[in-house]
Amino acid sequence: MNKYAIIDIGGKQLLVEQGRFYDARHLVPIRNTLKPDEKVVINRVLLIRHGSSINFGYPWLHGAAVRGRILHGCVDKKLVMRRIQRKRKTRQIFGYRADMIRFVIDSIHFGGKNLNKY
């Protein structure tokens, strides 16, 4: 973990590295707009660590970008909610699976330089 970045995506913060894949819930507001193998650029970078240097942003780093591509759409584990009303003998079970997008990080850029080459 010599080179990594912390990005803000979908209201959550992810620690990302090059070559790894991650799941995000709210990558785009409109559903089914991103296709597999489509390139994405994430500009909401909070922190970049490269070797011993750490760069913080307030709130985001200017000139920093994380580039990647979409692998495929997937779903999260099922969340089951039960609603039971006692003395009425009624039971309801609700299930919910969140739509997610799996993407892989190709490179981390800061100040016009690709940090993965150094």
Side-chain angles (χ1 to χ4, degrees), residues 66-82:
V66 174
R67 296 183 183 177
R69 66 185 189 281
I70 303 295
L71 291 178
H72 56 81
C74 56
V75 289
D76 200 10
K77 292 181 181 176
K78 184 174 248 188
L79 178 66
V80 177
M81 298 160 280
R82 292 182 180 97

Side-chain angles (χ1 to χ4, degrees), residues 14-85:
L14 290 175
L15 187 138
V16 296
E17 296 180 55
Q18 181 192 13
R20 294 190 150 195
F21 64 88
Y22 301 93
D23 295 331
R25 257 184 89 181
H26 303 289
L27 193 58
V28 290
I30 302 168
R31 199 171 153 191
N32 299 330
T33 57
L34 293 176
K35 307 284 187 248
D37 208 37
E38 189 171 336
K39 304 220 182 276
V40 291
V41 177
I42 300 162
N43 294 322
R44 291 181 149 196
V45 181
L46 301 168
L47 177 138
I48 287 182
R49 179 177 181 213
H50 176 66
S52 62
S53 67
I54 297 175
N55 298 316
F56 291 99
Y58 185 77
W60 300 297
L61 280 169
H62 296 287
V66 174
R67 296 183 183 177
R69 66 185 189 281
I70 303 295
L71 291 178
H72 56 81
C74 56
V75 289
D76 200 10
K77 292 181 181 176
K78 184 174 248 188
L79 178 66
V80 177
M81 298 160 280
R82 292 182 180 97
R83 194 168 102 188
I84 300 172
Q85 294 180 352

